[in-house]
Amino acid sequence: SNSFLGVINIITRHAILDKGTTVKTNLGSDGLREGFVRYGNSSGALDYRLNMAYRSDNGFDGRYDGKIVRLLNSRFDYQANNQDNMVMKAGYSAGPRQMDDTFDSGVPNHLSHTFSQYQQIKWRHVSAPEDEYSIQAYHNQLNINDSYTRTDYPIQWDAGTSSDRYDIEIQKLKRISPKLRYVVGASYRRDQVASKLYFGTTKPFRNRIRRLFAHGEYHYSKSTLLNLGIMYENNDITGVDVSPQASLNYRFTRHDTLRIGISKANRTPVLFEQYPNEAVNIPGYYNQLVYKGGPLNNERITEYDIGFVGQHMQNKFNYDLKFYYQEIQGLINIKSSTFADADGTADYFGNFDNAIIRGVETGLNWKPSTHSKIHLAYAYIDISSTDVTESYSTAAPESVLNLLAMHNFPYGYSGSVNIYYRSSMKPLARRSYDPPFMDPYTRVDMRFAKQFETGNTHQTLAIVIRNMFNARQHTRLKNNVDRGAYLTYQVKFN
């Protein structure tokens, strides 16, 4: 749900892959202090892994945005028999975070406190290879305690929020024939958010999402693969949404494949966009800041793409090239209107903008030897927008490049260089006196490491030099990473 301009794919490791004890620490510039401990083991049919970590830093230079994070998470894999297995995960994270006036001039420097937790359980039954069904349920929670006295109003400002998500999903995967397999499923999700400041009440607001999905994969021939998918959703905010997808992969040489695709997706408004009621209310004074302007529609995107993927030189060189065209309708943003209160204006959300995005993305990987690897990624983007509420047309750099070179030297030494580049851009949410454009920016990071064995341990000592030439970018966020360095030490007990 709400996969719009990108999807994050997280692949987790089975607990059995992390047996033993691993200890790691990072110490470096800007108050960086990190400690990490992992322990994994097995007991009969149960494999498990426990992680504990502590992280702290002073934040960006010139800002009051340091943080401390304490976290604990776990994974348990239980193989009941040859057909049934269960995965259980749980985690906890908490700590203080410094807050400043970068986004709101009335905010004093102060501490907020964040707490989050999650639980997930998944049962999987395998009747035969590629014939299985699964059911999973999860819950995650985020609480933010953020209270302070504003510098522009003589009031105590409570920006605390509490949110929960509950989700349950069932899925069936089956291969019908050597050419055809499919997956179908259904899920139910409930999101719940409470905030006195943003909704004008302590009552929680909820959104329920009912979802059905299906996807088929058909091998028309040895060189041709067809994918068709559809997702049906019904949510409390915008009602019914349908997201179809189709793609064709054609292998035109032994090592090269052509891919053509078309897809549609939706982004449902979040609860604050749909039900805002933010106001300043003190004796003798009332000022509405954000109010509900009316029902919102989904943001909608249609994408057409064509790409090429290839592997050559016995997989020592591979490439991925994609051209895409996206039509986006109903971008949600905030707009001011006349309002009968203290200031005479207030903001509201609406579907104000449309945009067309054209772009090219490419990735190259080359292994000149067994000890070296070079990765190059480049993206070009061109945006045309109605620009009613924001300058979307210039809100992304035309060019972004990343070059990574790694080499393993004799005697356990290794090194890498990472170069990041982006062209100029005009950031969103800029103030009238901010520079109209951010200049092009190039950053270089380097890493040197030494691995060695001592007794029953495997150890790594590394130094990382970040932003080696101290490149600067001038933005409202002041999110500059200064030149700095940190030391990493890791020991794994076999």
Side-chain angles (χ1 to χ4, degrees), residues 12-22 38-41 48-51 75 492:
T12 58
R13 292 166 56 88
H14 193 286
I16 199 172
L17 298 176
D18 294 311
K19 280 193 172 183
T21 302
T22 299
R38 179 177 64 213
Y39 176 74
N41 210 339
Y48 60 92
R49 178 177 65 228
L50 304 173
N51 299 316
R75 171 172 174 147
K492 183 175 182 180

Side-chain angles (χ1 to χ4, degrees), residues 50-200:
L50 304 173
N51 299 316
M52 182 170 59
Y54 171 90
R55 299 171 180 166
S56 69
D57 62 69
N58 295 337
F60 290 110
D61 183 42
R63 289 197 57 184
Y64 186 78
D65 66 339
K67 63 181 180 296
I68 294 175
V69 178
R70 304 174 183 89
L71 66 88
L72 176 69
N73 59 53
S74 60
R75 171 172 174 147
F76 299 85
D77 294 275
Y78 180 68
Q79 190 70 41
N81 51 52
N82 291 334
Q83 295 181 316
D84 299 280
N85 67 75
M86 184 175 294
V87 178
M88 296 161 285
K89 303 176 186 178
Y92 159 91
S93 174
R97 181 181 295 268
Q98 296 174 345
M99 306 293 290
D100 60 17
D101 64 352
T102 297
F103 291 103
D104 186 344
S105 59
V107 175
N109 289 351
H110 68 282
L111 286 179
S112 68
H113 293 268
T114 300
F115 166 85
S116 65
Q117 61 167 319
Y118 69 91
Q119 305 85 32
Q120 180 185 21
I121 184 168
K122 181 176 182 179
W123 172 61
R124 180 167 163 259
H125 176 81
V126 181
S127 301
E130 296 189 282
D131 185 357
E132 64 181 64
Y133 58 85
S134 62
I135 182 170
Q136 75 166 12
Y138 72 81
H139 163 248
N140 59 49
Q141 180 186 75
L142 173 64
N143 290 326
I144 300 175
N145 296 320
D146 189 10
S147 181
Y148 52 90
T149 301
R150 293 187 63 91
T151 59
D152 50 359
Y153 300 109
I155 59 172
Q156 185 71 14
W157 196 261
D158 184 2
T161 61
S162 175
S163 63
D164 288 87
R165 169 170 290 176
Y166 300 87
D167 189 287
I168 185 168
E169 177 180 289
I170 186 168
Q171 180 173 289
K172 170 67 176 179
L173 168 68
K174 186 174 179 62
R175 178 172 290 281
I176 299 176
S177 69
K179 289 188 173 183
L180 178 63
R181 65 173 179 168
Y182 69 87
V183 60
V184 295
S187 71
Y188 173 85
R189 174 182 297 176
R190 191 185 77 176
D191 293 338
Q192 176 176 301
V193 181
S195 173
K196 178 66 167 64
L197 173 64
Y198 297 114
F199 298 108

Side-chain angles (χ1 to χ4, degrees), residues 181-442:
R181 65 173 179 168
Y182 69 87
V183 60
V184 295
S187 71
Y188 173 85
R189 174 182 297 176
R190 191 185 77 176
D191 293 338
Q192 176 176 301
V193 181
S195 173
K196 178 66 167 64
L197 173 64
Y198 297 114
F199 298 108
T201 176
T202 57
K203 181 189 74 172
F205 283 77
R206 298 181 178 90
N207 181 31
R208 296 167 299 173
I209 302 173
R210 281 76 56 174
R211 182 171 62 143
L212 300 173
F213 58 90
H215 194 100
E217 179 185 87
Y218 178 64
H219 280 268
Y220 178 76
S221 66
K222 290 184 178 180
S223 60
T224 306
L225 174 68
L226 176 66
N227 290 86
L228 293 173
I230 191 167
M231 182 169 65
Y232 168 93
E233 290 185 315
N234 188 339
N235 69 81
D236 293 342
I237 295 179
T238 58
V240 174
D241 306 311
V242 178
S243 302
Q245 179 266 337
S247 66
L248 174 69
N249 290 270
Y250 175 69
R251 181 172 291 180
F252 57 93
T253 75
R254 182 181 176 185
H255 304 288
D256 303 279
T257 300
L258 166 69
R259 180 184 185 275
I260 301 174
I262 179 174
S263 62
K264 291 189 176 183
N266 301 278
R267 187 185 80 84
T268 303
V270 298
L271 288 166
F272 177 61
E273 291 172 335
Q274 183 65 34
Y275 307 111
N277 185 15
E278 184 180 355
V280 176
N281 192 355
I282 57 179
Y285 182 84
Y286 176 79
N287 185 16
Q288 186 77 40
L289 302 177
V290 186
Y291 72 100
K292 180 180 178 181
L296 297 177
N297 297 319
N298 283 338
E299 294 179 335
R300 302 175 303 282
I301 183 171
T302 302
E303 176 171 322
Y304 309 86
D305 62 79
I306 181 170
F308 300 88
V309 180
Q311 295 180 344
H312 295 266
M313 302 166 56
Q314 297 179 334
N315 204 27
K316 290 182 179 179
F317 175 80
N318 61 70
Y319 70 91
D320 189 339
L321 175 64
K322 172 183 172 182
F323 301 87
Y324 65 90
Y325 177 90
Q326 299 172 340
E327 296 178 350
I328 303 177
Q329 294 180 312
L331 283 167
I332 297 173
N333 209 325
I334 204 162
K335 194 175 183 180
S336 293
S337 70
T338 57
F339 199 90
D341 68 354
D343 290 349
T345 62
D347 294 333
Y348 68 101
F349 288 99
N351 301 91
F352 297 120
D353 278 294
N354 301 322
I356 293 177
I357 303 177
R358 307 170 184 86
V360 181
E361 296 177 349
T362 184
L364 305 175
N365 289 289
W366 179 40
K367 296 180 180 178
S369 71
T370 57
H371 303 289
S372 302
K373 180 179 180 181
I374 297 175
H375 170 73
L376 174 66
Y378 173 77
Y380 170 84
I381 185 172
D382 175 71
I383 305 176
S384 301
S385 171
T386 51
D387 290 345
V388 173
T389 55
E390 289 281 9
S391 299
Y392 291 108
S393 300
T394 54
E398 282 192 347
S399 297
V400 177
L401 183 143
N402 175 223
L403 175 63
L404 172 65
M406 299 179 290
H407 184 75
N408 293 322
F409 299 96
Y411 307 109
Y413 291 95
S414 63
S416 64
V417 178
N418 207 337
I419 302 173
Y420 311 88
Y421 166 81
R422 64 145 180 83
S423 59
S424 64
M425 61 178 289
K426 188 175 183 179
L428 297 176
R430 57 180 293 275
R431 296 164 296 195
S432 59
Y433 53 84
D434 287 331
F437 280 87
M438 296 165 57
D439 293 331
Y441 175 76
T442 303

Side-chain angles (χ1 to χ4, degrees), residues 26-29 416 443 445-448 462-467 484-488:
N26 293 324
L27 301 172
S29 304
S416 64
R443 171 178 162 180
D445 294 351
M446 301 186 70
R447 181 181 185 269
F448 303 94
I463 183 171
V464 175
I465 303 173
R466 70 181 188 205
N467 197 4
Y486 62 88
L487 191 68
T488 296

